[in-house]
Amino acid sequence: QVQLVESGGGSVQVGGSLRLSCAVSGYTTSIYCLGWFRQAGGKEREGVAAIARDGVPTYADSVKGRFTISKDNANNLYLQMNSLKPEDTAMYYCAIRPSCALAGFDIRLLTSAAFAYWGQGTQVTVSS
């Protein structure tokens, strides 16, 4: 059974930092991409960042230069978030895309429909 468990969310002031983690288990193949998404109240879920099999990251324009996605060999996924803004407030989810090219991640695939497995989310609140 595939499981993704997010952690690291919390409340922070504008300009602060948080590091989200996602523990992945039960996925028996190495051919997949990982991504972070977020959903604010009353809005659609949006893609934040993804990382390809070769480790190359892709970011939404709204977080470029502030967020860093990474993964380790133990199937853990991370999202380092710096210079946080009130508009970053949302529930953050990690997800698996089972079909994944060896190199690079096409930004056009950073959509909810392109990912198949999801965690329960971790809340991030940024206050001014």
Side-chain angles (χ1 to χ4, degrees), residues 53-71:
R53 290 165 62 194
D54 59 359
V56 174
T58 297
Y59 299 98
D61 288 343
S62 59
V63 305
K64 278 181 183 176
R66 301 188 298 121
F67 290 12
T68 302
I69 188 172
S70 61
K71 63 179 180 177

Side-chain angles (χ1 to χ4, degrees), residues 6 10 41 53 88 90 99:
E6 302 94 338
R53 290 165 62 194
D88 295 319
S99 174

Side-chain angles (χ1 to χ4, degrees), residues 89-113:
T89 294
M91 185 72 79
Y92 282 72
Y93 301 88
C94 60
I96 288 176
R97 173 174 167 79
S99 174
C100 185
L102 177 61
F105 187 90
D106 189 340
I107 187 67
R108 293 171 296 181
L109 296 176
L110 192 55
T111 65
S112 296

Side-chain angles (χ1 to χ4, degrees), residues 1-5 23-30 32 74-75 96 117:
Q1 181 180 357
V2 180
Q3 275 196 314
L4 298 90
V5 180
V24 179
S25 62
Y27 203 74
T28 58
T29 174
S30 62
Y32 61 93
N75 283 341
I96 288 176
Y117 301 98

Side-chain angles (χ1 to χ4, degrees), residues 5-93:
V5 180
E6 302 94 338
S7 61
S11 296
V12 65
Q13 292 191 327
V14 169
S17 298
L18 283 173
R19 187 183 193 226
L20 304 184
S21 299
C22 174
V24 179
S25 62
Y27 203 74
T28 58
T29 174
S30 62
I31 304 174
Y32 61 93
C33 286
L34 291 163
W36 285 100
F37 290 77
R38 65 187 181 187
Q39 187 167 21
K43 296 185 178 181
E44 292 188 356
R45 191 170 296 186
E46 64 171 348
V48 173
I51 191 163
R53 290 165 62 194
D54 59 359
V56 174
T58 297
Y59 299 98
D61 288 343
S62 59
V63 305
K64 278 181 183 176
R66 301 188 298 121
F67 290 12
T68 302
I69 188 172
S70 61
K71 63 179 180 177
D72 63 24
N73 291 333
N75 283 341
N76 296 314
L77 179 70
Y78 304 97
L79 186 69
Q80 177 66 44
M81 305 186 296
N82 299 328
S83 302
L84 283 162
K85 305 175 181 180
E87 51 264 43
D88 295 319
T89 294
M91 185 72 79
Y92 282 72
Y93 301 88

